[in-house]
């Protein structure tokens, strides 16, 4: 094949590839535009689109023009070779002429590719530029350079972006002209070394000077970046950094500028050695500055480190506490006593009846076994919240019943995208109620939803949720499945406002290309009234609407008073540029829960409410996207009453507070009072205890029971409890953090110590060993520490599950108080055993059997266990063991029917 045809084929192939990529991009943008129209955030889409494309195209154009200008200058200054003397014996580069002929085309295509890469890189920094342009002040200044914190959060990232763009452009231009000078013969290899023409040498010296100036710019930014350094002693620069390394950086900055001047002057000085000396001095300065800083640290700081580092430790403590929002933590004394009485428990009845006995894992499994109803439904997660149920404040656990397309009996296109379009209903129940079979009780259950309280569900369809569902098309000629009813199915039409209209051939073609499915284009079931719902996973939906926010891992469902379902998601603003603040990998060194996002489970409507208008980052984003955010006061009061303090943020704050509650620099330096979040045993492995929600009356500050999030602390190297931290979730005290400190001279059992005591309790250990045999296993739930007035109660549920999977049943509840431990069938009986008196509620309220029924069930269970062991002995031929076990069966039966 002729070479010209080969080249034409390559060009056509590349053109086809670029055309397909461009078409996919246009299709994606069109679908995204319609999606943003659906959620009423078109101005947000246009701002992001124009920012990305405007920044990308302008930077690409600037880079390409810079490269082309340098190439044009190089071509004009090239003389196609260097004059040499005969004795130089130049080494000829073979076929150089052929390279010279193709150089223009190659360099043109190369510059276009380089400009494209620069533009793509720049477009990814669109938010950096917008934040810089609309920056809000923090109102506090750093202690070293006396600049507003906003300079480091908004301006410094932009300056680093600018530096990266300029450095990349100059380097690419340098590589381009280097290649051009090479093929034009401006470099020559001789037996005396490499010779360059004056034009090439001067041009490259000019570009080298620009790089030296950019190095000076880099050193200036590095000086500011010192304030974000992380050190073992404390975050931020210390004595050696500010007394030695910072002055060295200033000196190197001047050396870099001087090196640039030497490079630019080299054509006139006719001495390249001076220019190279400046560059060498810059490299040597970098080595010497680090060496000098190390010497100061070793011989001046280390011998008296606490004295030298004290002011910098103070700065680190102050700024870290402010960055993580723990500077306003209210510290209170809590001196645990052991004088709790039945009357005191009765006074705190609301606290007792809201102690969570159902862990998320076992409850999710149980919900799946009892309430999925059909195989294509799934419970993705279980959420904690609080509701007024029949006039009483109750903590509940709830989970929506979502559709799992992967579990459909027939996964044809019509079923997945036209017929089975949504989940249906939810389960909701109290955190502490147990049925006689050891299963959870429900306030709302079944399909259609059946409520046993004043809670109601009027719009049970779940079109938007946590499931990874694809697009669906509603209001088609195909019947849309609503919910199963016995052996029949109930069908319905979508009556919401969600989705994008799919009328007309062009819309069908657009979405056929977007989802790569021709059936959308040719299906006869799609009508002018049909709508396509996509991006239905709430996390993906929110990330698409506001990609600049970080979202909490636990989205939770809220049932409104009108019976509608809404998703609430906590969103955070973060940065890694806050000065003198401790950094957390993957998070940065500053975080605020600035936004509460709401997604309608039926319509898919999105609302972002500013929850912390004191955060400068969210104020800046609100300037960039004024149409995206609403004040929290505009959130319906019904939803505001269900706002929770987020677990992710609380875990981070508790982790930081474990170190930064030490505000004395000397105590901080020696880590004399370091705290940690205790560990718990789960599946034979230790893992950090997660914060948990509960309803209780806070000592000293609480006048009534309220919904809180709490976690205990233990000393870093011990297991006794030293304090506990709480975040208040109810208005008007939402967001306030409290820490209750225990007296250091008093031993207060920590969770691990209580676990060990439970293991050492003979009767409990024997029962657990027995249950773990014979085809079943015991699941130990989370051990909760529950403060009641001035005392502490420890509660741990036990679940029994068949080996290999099954239905977890809550079999026992362990309660520890002081030196007493009890394990009974429910919480009330365990409390009765420890405290005496009656702390139980009426059976109709607590859903538990009376004591006689409870004892009968226990005897029946023991009789069954003895009978099973007797059968095992019989199979082995052990007649003695068989006889002993059958005697125990007889004894249990006689006690059941005296």
């Amino acid at each position: 094949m002729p070479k010209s045809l080969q080249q034409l084929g390559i060009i056509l192939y590349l053109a086809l590839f670029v055309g397909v990529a461009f078409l996919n991009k246009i299709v994606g943008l069109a679908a995204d535009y319609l999606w943003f129209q659906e959620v009423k955030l078109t101005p947000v889409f246009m701002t992001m689109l124009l920012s990305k494309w405007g920044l990308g195209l302008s930077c690409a154009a600037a880079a390409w023009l810079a490269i082309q200008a340098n190439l044009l200058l190089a071509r004009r200054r090239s003389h196609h070779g260097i004059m040499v003397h005969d004795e130089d014996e130049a080494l000829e580069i073979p076929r150089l002429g052929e390279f010279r002929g193709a150089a223009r085309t190659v360099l043109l295509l190369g510059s276009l590719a380089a400009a494209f890469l620069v533009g793509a890189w720049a477009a990814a920094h669109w938010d950096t530029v917008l934040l810089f342009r609309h920056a809000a002040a923090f109102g506090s200044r750093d202690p070293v350079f006396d600049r507003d914190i906003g300079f480091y959060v908004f301006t410094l990232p932009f300056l680093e972006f600018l530096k990266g763009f300029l450095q990349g452009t100059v380097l690419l231009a340098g590589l381009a002209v280097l290649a051009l000078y090479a093929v034009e013969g401006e470099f020559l290899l001789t037996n005396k070394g490499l010779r360059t023409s004056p034009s090439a040498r001067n041009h490259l010296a000019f570009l080298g000077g620009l790089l030296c100036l950019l190095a000076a710019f880099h050193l200036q930014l590095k000086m500011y970046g010192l304030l974000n350094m992380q050190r073992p002693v404390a975050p931020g620069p210390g004595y050696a950094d500010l007394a030695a390394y910072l002055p060295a950086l200033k000196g190197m900055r001047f050396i870099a500028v001087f090196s640039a001047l030497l490079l630019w002057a080299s054509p006139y000085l006719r001495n390249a050695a001076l220019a190279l000396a400046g560059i060498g001095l810059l490299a040597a300065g970098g080595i010497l500055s680090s060496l000098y800083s190390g010497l100061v640290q070793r011989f001046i700081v280390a011998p008296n480190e606490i004295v030298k580092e004290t002011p910098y430790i103070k700065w680190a403590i102050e700024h870290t506490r402010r960055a993580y929002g723990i500077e306003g933590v209210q510290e209170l004394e809590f001196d645990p006593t052991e004088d709790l009485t039945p009357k005191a428990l009765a006074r705190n009845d609301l606290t007792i009846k809201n102690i969570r006995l159902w862990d998320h894992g076992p409850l999710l499994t149980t919900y799946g076994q009892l309430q999925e109803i059909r195989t294509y439904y799934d419970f993705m997660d279980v959420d904690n919240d609080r509701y007024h149920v029949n006039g009483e404040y109750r903590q509940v656990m709830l989970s929506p019943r979502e559709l799992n397309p992967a579990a459909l009996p027939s996964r044809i296109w019509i079923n997945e995208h036209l017929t089975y379009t949504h989940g249906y209903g939810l389960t909701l129940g109290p955190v502490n109620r147990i049925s006689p079979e050891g299963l959870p009780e429900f306030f709302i259950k079944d399909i259609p939803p059946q409520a046993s309280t004043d809670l109601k569900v009027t719009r049970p369809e779940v079109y938007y949720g946590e499931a990874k569902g694809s697009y669906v098309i509603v209001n088609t000629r195909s019947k849309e499945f609503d919910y199963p009813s016995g052996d029949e199915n109930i069908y319905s039409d979508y009556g919401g406002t969600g989705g994008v209209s799919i009328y007309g051939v062009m819309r069908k073609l657009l979405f056929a290309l977007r989802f790569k499915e021709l059936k959308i284009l040719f299906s006869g079931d799609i009508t002018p009234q049909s709508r396509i719902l996509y991006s239905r996973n709430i996390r993906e939906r929110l990330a698409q609407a506001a990609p600049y926010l970080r979202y909490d891992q636990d989205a939770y469902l809220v049932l409104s008073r009108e019976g509608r379902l809404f998703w609430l998601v906590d969103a955070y603003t973060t940065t890694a540029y806050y000065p003198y603040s401790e950094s957390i990998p993957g998070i940065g060194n500053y975080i605020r829960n600035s936004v509460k996002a709401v997604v309608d489970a039926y319509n898919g409507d999105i609302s972002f409410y500013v929850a912390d208008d004191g955060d400068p980052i969210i104020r800046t984003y609100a300037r960039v996207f004024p149409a995206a955010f609403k004040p929290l006061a505009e959130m319906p009061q019904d939803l505001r009453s269900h706002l929770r303090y987020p677990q992710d943020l609380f875990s981070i704050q508790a982790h930081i507070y474990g170190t930064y509650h030490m505000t004395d620099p000397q105590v901080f330096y020696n880590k004399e009072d370091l705290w940690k979040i205790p560990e718990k045993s789960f599946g034979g492995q230790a893992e950090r205890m997660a914060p948990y929600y509960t309803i209780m009356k806070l000592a000293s500050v609480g006048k009534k029971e309220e919904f809180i999030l709490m976690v205990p602390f233990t000393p870093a190297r011990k297991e006794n409890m030293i304090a506990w931290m709480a975040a208040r979730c109810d208005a008007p005290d939402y967001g306030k953090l409290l820490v209750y400190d225990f007296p250091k001279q008093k031993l207060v059992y920590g969770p691990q110590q209580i676990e060990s005591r439970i293991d050492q309790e003979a009767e409990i250990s024997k029962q657990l060993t027995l249950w773990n045999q014979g085809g079943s296993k015991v699941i130990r739930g989370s051990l909760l520490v529950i403060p009641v007035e001035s005392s502490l109660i420890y509660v741990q549920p036990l679940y029994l599950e068949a080996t290999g999977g099954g239905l977890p049943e809550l079999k026992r509840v362990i309660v520890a108080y002081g030196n007493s431990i009890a394990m009974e069938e429910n919480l009330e009986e365990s409390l009765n055993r420890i405290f005496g008196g009656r702390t139980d509620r009426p059976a109709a309220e607590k859903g538990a059997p009376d004591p006689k029924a409870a004892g009968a069930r226990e005897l029946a269970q023991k009789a069954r266990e003895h009978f099973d062991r007797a059968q095992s002995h019989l199979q082995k031929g052990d007649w003695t063991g068989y006889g002993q076990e059958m005697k125990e069966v007889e004894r249990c039966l006689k006690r059941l029917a005296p």
Side-chain angles (χ1 to χ4, degrees), residues 250-297:
K250 292 179 180 178
M252 290 171 59
R253 181 186 56 187
F254 288 111
I255 293 173
V257 174
F258 184 64
S259 298
L261 295 175
L262 285 177
L263 281 167
W264 290 340
S266 60
Y268 306 100
L269 298 175
R270 298 184 181 278
N271 188 348
L274 288 175
L276 295 176
I279 297 175
L281 185 60
L282 184 62
I287 298 172
L288 291 174
S289 61
S290 298
L291 181 61
Y292 175 52
S293 177
L295 291 174
V296 170
Q297 176 68 32

Side-chain angles (χ1 to χ4, degrees), residues 476-552:
T476 63
R477 292 189 179 92
S478 177
K479 287 184 177 181
E480 184 181 343
F481 172 77
D482 198 21
Y483 63 89
S485 178
D487 295 333
E488 298 181 353
N489 290 334
I490 306 299
Y491 298 92
S492 68
D493 292 321
Y494 180 65
T497 59
V500 175
S501 177
I502 199 171
Y503 69 91
V505 176
M506 294 307 296
R507 286 281 180 96
K508 291 182 180 180
L509 178 61
L510 170 66
F511 288 107
L513 293 172
R514 169 65 177 82
F515 296 108
K516 298 177 175 59
E517 180 55 73
L518 288 176
K519 293 185 179 69
I520 296 176
L521 183 61
F522 297 113
S523 173
D525 290 318
I526 298 176
T527 70
Q529 290 74 39
S530 298
R531 304 180 70 84
I532 183 167
L533 282 60
Y534 53 105
S535 296
R536 297 190 301 133
N537 177 272
I538 54 174
R539 286 186 181 83
E540 295 175 2
R541 196 169 183 82
L542 291 172
Q544 185 169 342
Y548 42 85
L549 297 175
R550 181 188 294 268
Y551 296 96
D552 195 90

Side-chain angles (χ1 to χ4, degrees), residues 218-531:
H218 165 74
L219 291 168
Q220 180 66 45
L221 298 184
K222 192 172 183 180
M223 290 162 53
Y224 295 130
L226 286 178
L227 273 62
N228 286 310
M229 68 186 301
Q230 301 293 309
R231 300 183 301 134
V233 174
Y239 180 89
D241 303 300
L242 296 182
Y245 192 56
L246 181 59
L249 288 176
K250 292 179 180 178
M252 290 171 59
R253 181 186 56 187
F254 288 111
I255 293 173
V257 174
F258 184 64
S259 298
L261 295 175
L262 285 177
L263 281 167
W264 290 340
S266 60
Y268 306 100
L269 298 175
R270 298 184 181 278
N271 188 348
L274 288 175
L276 295 176
I279 297 175
L281 185 60
L282 184 62
I287 298 172
L288 291 174
S289 61
S290 298
L291 181 61
Y292 175 52
S293 177
L295 291 174
V296 170
Q297 176 68 32
R298 182 173 182 181
F299 294 106
I300 297 179
V301 177
N304 198 13
E305 190 170 36
I306 181 59
V307 174
K308 295 292 186 182
E309 293 287 351
T310 291
Y312 312 107
I313 292 174
K314 284 183 179 179
W315 293 345
I317 294 172
E318 176 189 348
H319 285 74
T320 298
R321 287 170 64 93
R322 192 185 303 152
Y324 288 96
I326 58 174
E327 77 278 17
V329 171
Q330 183 179 1
E331 296 186 0
L332 302 165
E333 295 296 325
F334 191 95
D335 188 0
T337 61
E338 295 182 10
D339 57 359
L340 205 58
T341 64
K343 288 185 178 179
L345 291 177
R347 285 196 303 270
N348 293 273
D349 180 60
L350 196 58
T351 297
I352 299 301
K353 69 171 59 173
N354 283 290
I355 294 175
R356 177 170 59 84
L357 300 180
W358 286 102
D359 273 12
H360 292 75
L363 186 62
L364 187 63
T365 303
T366 302
Y367 277 0
Q369 296 280 347
L370 298 178
Q371 281 291 305
E372 281 183 0
I373 310 298
R374 293 289 188 272
T375 58
Y376 41 78
Y377 287 129
D378 202 357
F379 292 103
M380 309 301 297
D381 191 19
V382 179
D383 300 314
N384 272 87
D385 204 353
R386 73 286 198 194
Y387 289 79
H388 283 91
V389 180
N390 292 337
E392 189 174 38
Y393 202 41
R394 299 300 298 269
Q395 184 182 2
V396 303
M397 302 187 80
L398 67 160
S399 182
R401 189 180 292 104
E402 298 196 51
L403 185 73
N404 180 8
L408 288 173
S410 175
R411 296 193 61 186
I412 59 175
W413 182 79
I414 290 180
N415 278 349
E416 283 199 45
H417 301 286
L418 274 63
T419 303
Y420 294 90
T421 59
H422 59 275
Y424 199 88
L426 76 158
T427 57
L428 185 151
V431 295
N432 68 323
R433 296 266 289 271
I434 315 165
S435 73
E437 296 79 21
L439 300 174
E441 290 197 358
F442 300 99
F443 289 153
I444 299 176
K445 63 178 181 178
D446 296 341
I447 299 178
Q450 304 295 317
S452 59
T453 65
D454 57 354
L455 299 176
K456 61 180 180 180
V457 184
T458 58
R459 179 58 74 186
E461 300 91 343
V462 181
Y463 283 87
Y464 301 87
E466 295 182 286
K468 293 287 185 181
S470 182
Y471 69 93
V472 295
I473 304 174
V474 296
N475 296 335
T476 63
R477 292 189 179 92
S478 177
K479 287 184 177 181
E480 184 181 343
F481 172 77
D482 198 21
Y483 63 89
S485 178
D487 295 333
E488 298 181 353
N489 290 334
I490 306 299
Y491 298 92
S492 68
D493 292 321
Y494 180 65
T497 59
V500 175
S501 177
I502 199 171
Y503 69 91
V505 176
M506 294 307 296
R507 286 281 180 96
K508 291 182 180 180
L509 178 61
L510 170 66
F511 288 107
L513 293 172
R514 169 65 177 82
F515 296 108
K516 298 177 175 59
E517 180 55 73
L518 288 176
K519 293 185 179 69
I520 296 176
L521 183 61
F522 297 113
S523 173
D525 290 318
I526 298 176
T527 70
Q529 290 74 39
S530 298
R531 304 180 70 84

Side-chain angles (χ1 to χ4, degrees), residues 128 138 149-158 160-161 224-225 227-228 574-581 583 587-590 617:
T128 301
F138 271 70
I149 303 299
F151 169 81
Y152 300 94
V153 175
F154 303 123
T155 304
L156 187 57
F158 171 75
E160 290 180 345
F161 160 75
Y224 295 130
L227 273 62
N228 286 310
T574 61
T575 183
Y577 287 89
Y578 200 94
Y580 272 102
S581 178
S583 181
I587 299 294
N589 59 9
Y590 171 96
I617 298 181

Side-chain angles (χ1 to χ4, degrees), residues 89 213 511 556 574 612 647 785-786 802 853:
E89 297 180 6
L213 280 185
F511 288 107
Y556 60 102
T574 61
D612 183 1
Q647 282 183 300
V785 183
I786 307 297

